[in-house]
Amino acid sequence: MRTSAQLQVYRHALPVRIGHWLNVVCLSILIMSGLQIFNAHPALYWGDRSDRERPLLSILPVRGNNGEVRGITTVLGFQFDTTGVLGYSDHSGRAFPAWATLPGPRWLAMGRQWHLLFAWVFVINGLIFTAYAIIGRHFTRDLLPTGRDLRTIGQALKDHLVLRHPRVEEAKHYNVLQKIAYVAVIFLLAPLIVLTGLTMSPTVDAAFPWLLTMFGGRQAARTIHFLACFSFVGFILVHITQVIISGFFNNVRSMITGWFMIKTEQGARHEV
Amino acid sequence: MKSERPIKRREFLKGAAGAAGALAVSGCDNLTASDWFPKIMHATEHLTGLVQGIITPADALAKEYTEADISSVFPANGNTDPGTAEYAGHMRQNFSKWTVEIGGLVDRPHAWSLVALKAMPARTQITRHDCVEGWSAIGKWTGVPLGDLLRSAGPRSNARYVMFHCADIDDQGISYYESMALADCFHPQTILAYDLNGRSLDVAHGAPLRLRVERQLGYKHAKYVAKIVVVDTFEPIGGGKGGYWEDQGYEWYAGI
């Protein structure tokens, strides 16, 4: 008789789990303290200079003719009224609101200290993870998409759109979209945000002038840093959504204990 | 519509004066207010400064730009007028009586008039100023290499830092000061500048003399420099962190 049962799979090794939760802490703090730093000069530019009349983006409190202050966000010349969230919130002019920044009150020096401390943790964690992933073959075995993976990309996209989630054997491995997303975030986006962050140091720029060249200037690097930050935010939102719709408790448990439950029709090992 | 600045930039940079009271909002803000956590952050500052020193060749030059790259407006930040009677007197005399002196741990203390400084070999550099707030501006600076002045004063073997005492005081009467490692003072791009974009420095940008230390953030570039003192430690001076902004929580190494 074929019965539905559950199979326990050891899905996440300890170094992966530690690295993952450290990243949760680091990214939360880096993003929030980064927004505090951004609030000190809430505009982005391209090139080396800040030509204040030509920002790519600005988030400013603006007093209208009636004396009322509105939060105005300008992106590439297009203006949006973002009062209450961006530019003006809690009765004060500030680009990002207090609930989104660390520390909550305006305090550039303290925001920078939080940012630099957790930048160190983020970088060291990333280097340890990378060493583990390469030496322990986590990278080639689990993360790097294979040729066969890439051929299934169309089907995987279709499955994701109709929210069909993998069961049984295929649930033991990351699917091709997961692999691409994880590799891109860990090995492209994370180094990009670290390197653009370093480019904001005039001392580092003197030592490694090619960084300025590579990113198109000091202000361009700052803009890319900000875009990379929001790519992280976007990834996190999609990631959490996927975690929720593909079985929140099972996913979170596997990222804490390592063990993931898979529904099988011939359960090799029954869960008690 | 005009842009509103409900809080002055200076107040922002100094940080929320009453921030400690407004803390305790979140767990992280509790940590900020604790005894031990800021010590970890302070240790991180030393680590960052140390690593930066290790990976940066001592003679690495900051990028120099062309005339075409110069910013149309070079913003003035921090104090834009020392506002003292003494300074106002110098302004009226067009700074003809301004002197800068070097003392402390040197064999030959000396004072130079502005005229004497302008007669010395000068260096002109078009460089990028990176403000801690996040903006950058490019300007052409002309001045005397600080190393030339220090060499003629002869720092002693126990000299480690160079303090810059300035003519400006803040709204609480605290004099502005800064410090740098002695070695950085001999970097070719470290100059005492008297010209910006081919004209004498204006008051807002630090007339008549300001420090340019192109590999560090803007707040290290002391304006209104009047007195240079070579020391072996800066701990007894001011708040003990090596500079006005450092005493407010900003990093002494100021590289990032």
Side-chain angles (χ1 to χ4, degrees):
Chain A
M1 194 176 77
R2 291 162 78 91
T3 55
S4 176
Q6 288 197 325
L7 174 69
Q8 280 195 84
V9 189
Y10 189 65
R11 200 184 201 193
H12 302 296
L14 185 64
V16 175
R17 276 138 56 204
I18 293 173
H20 174 268
W21 293 112
L22 273 175
N23 276 338
V24 172
V25 174
C26 286
L27 283 170
S28 306
I29 288 171
L30 283 167
I31 291 166
M32 293 179 73
S33 56
L35 297 183
Q36 169 79 246
I37 297 169
F38 177 84
N39 275 4
H41 185 74
L44 297 175
Y45 314 85
W46 201 255
D48 268 314
R49 298 179 309 215
S50 310
D51 292 326
R52 296 185 184 207
E53 66 282 7
R54 289 193 285 123
L56 297 175
L57 171 140
S58 69
I59 305 175
L60 294 169
V62 175
R63 187 178 293 277
N65 294 329
N66 59 357
E68 194 191 0
V69 181
R70 313 289 302 169
I72 302 293
T73 301
T74 307
V75 186
L76 302 172
F78 296 97
Q79 290 202 339
F80 304 92
D81 188 326
T82 49
T83 309
V85 186
L86 299 177
Y88 192 82
S89 52
D90 301 323
H91 310 288
S92 76
R94 47 183 298 150
F96 286 95
W99 57 260
T101 67
L102 176 69
R106 287 168 182 279
W107 198 349
L108 174 60
M110 191 53 74
R112 286 168 52 82
Q113 291 188 19
W114 277 96
H115 203 71
L116 290 170
L117 168 56
F118 281 88
W120 273 110
V121 181
F122 182 69
V123 167
I124 292 168
N125 185 33
L127 291 175
I128 292 173
F129 174 83
T130 303
Y132 163 79
I134 291 168
I135 295 164
R137 301 193 181 282
H138 177 50
F139 178 64
T140 45
R141 195 184 55 220
D142 306 319
L143 290 174
L144 194 67
T146 61
R148 206 173 68 186
D149 281 334
L150 293 173
R151 281 191 292 278
T152 65
I153 201 164
Q155 185 62 42
L157 275 170
K158 224 185 294 173
D159 290 346
H160 269 72
L161 289 175
V162 299
L163 302 182
R164 195 196 79 86
H165 289 286
R167 303 252 179 257
V168 204
E169 203 55 31
E170 59 188 11
K172 290 179 186 171
H173 311 287
Y174 293 142
N175 66 60
V176 62
L177 296 181
Q178 276 176 302
K179 287 182 177 181
I180 290 171
Y182 295 157
V183 167
V185 166
I186 299 167
F187 298 103
L188 294 176
L189 192 58
L192 178 71
I193 208 162
V194 171
L195 288 176
T196 50
L198 287 171
T199 312
M200 292 187 219
S201 159
T203 311
V204 171
D205 288 349
F208 310 104
W210 49 267
L211 282 169
L212 281 173
T213 311
M214 184 163 76
F215 295 125
R218 163 67 170 72
Q219 289 298 317
R222 183 167 173 266
T223 297
I224 297 168
H225 195 69
F226 198 70
L227 290 173
C229 167
F230 276 84
S231 303
F232 262 112
V233 172
F235 167 78
I236 291 165
L237 292 178
V238 171
H239 182 64
I240 292 174
T241 306
Q242 294 282 6
V243 164
I244 292 170
I245 61 182
S246 67
F248 181 75
F249 288 107
N250 196 15
N251 278 310
V252 172
R253 175 179 51 202
S254 77
M255 201 36 97
I256 293 171
T257 66
W259 291 95
F260 188 73
M261 302 298 167
I262 295 177
K263 278 208 171 70
T264 163
E265 294 183 339
Q266 296 167 314
R269 201 171 139 190
H270 291 262
E271 196 186 14
V272 186
Chain B
M1 293 206 294
K2 76 179 176 64
S3 200
E4 173 86 346
R5 186 177 287 150
I7 183 162
K8 280 196 206 146
R9 171 183 293 136
R10 188 173 177 76
E11 287 161 19
F12 189 108
L13 276 174
K14 284 180 73 170
L23 289 175
V25 192
S26 69
C28 287
D29 287 347
N30 279 334
L31 283 179
T32 301
S34 73
D35 286 337
W36 57 276
F37 195 73
K39 285 182 187 150
I40 294 179
M41 294 200 278
H42 194 59
T44 309
E45 183 191 328
H46 286 297
L47 174 67
T48 312
L50 185 73
V51 170
Q52 191 173 265
I54 291 168
I55 65 171
T56 310
D59 55 353
L61 293 174
K63 182 177 178 179
E64 295 196 17
Y65 295 83
T66 67
E67 299 266 348
D69 298 317
I70 293 173
S71 295
S72 53
V73 177
F74 197 109
N77 220 357
N79 277 350
T80 49
D81 186 345
T84 63
E86 195 187 346
Y87 184 82
H90 280 294
M91 268 169 78
R92 277 193 299 276
Q93 296 166 313
N94 209 16
F95 302 106
S96 58
K97 299 269 167 56
W98 189 275
T99 56
V100 62
E101 58 170 280
I102 294 189
L105 300 175
V106 293
D107 290 330
R108 298 172 294 277
H110 192 76
W112 289 266
S113 69
L114 195 58
V115 178
L117 282 184
K118 288 187 177 179
M120 292 176 72
R123 180 186 163 91
T124 295
Q125 56 201 27
I126 302 176
T127 50
R128 192 186 71 240
H129 178 97
D130 294 328
C131 180
V132 66
E133 293 168 347
W135 54 265
S136 307
I138 296 173
K140 181 166 82 171
W141 301 94
T142 301
V144 186
L146 183 58
D148 293 353
L149 302 182
L150 282 167
R151 263 186 290 270
S152 71
R156 294 187 185 147
S157 57
N158 56 341
R160 290 187 65 203
Y161 304 103
V162 174
M163 311 294 303
F164 301 88
H165 296 279
C166 307
D168 49 336
I169 53 172
D170 75 358
D171 42 15
Q172 281 142 37
I174 301 169
S175 299
Y176 188 94
Y177 74 106
E178 251 313 330
S179 67
M180 267 170 68
L182 183 64
D184 285 335
C185 297
F186 290 98
H187 186 272
Q189 287 171 324
T190 303
I191 62 174
L192 275 183
Y194 44 73
D195 280 5
L196 169 57
N197 296 335
R199 298 159 70 167
S200 291
L201 266 183
D202 59 5
V203 171
H205 290 92
L209 276 179
R210 95 176 286 179
L211 180 66
R212 292 302 308 173
V213 35
E214 305 298 351
R215 299 178 304 168
Q216 299 196 10
L217 293 175
Y219 61 84
K220 298 294 283 192
H221 301 222
K223 300 197 241 183
Y224 319 109
V225 176
K227 200 170 145 194
I228 297 170
V229 183
V230 181
V231 296
D232 55 355
T233 172
F234 49 67
E235 273 168 31
I237 300 159
K241 303 276 175 59
Y244 178 85
W245 291 112
E246 288 81 346
D247 290 340
Q248 318 270 356
Y250 291 87
E251 295 82 3
W252 182 77
Y253 69 86
I256 190 166

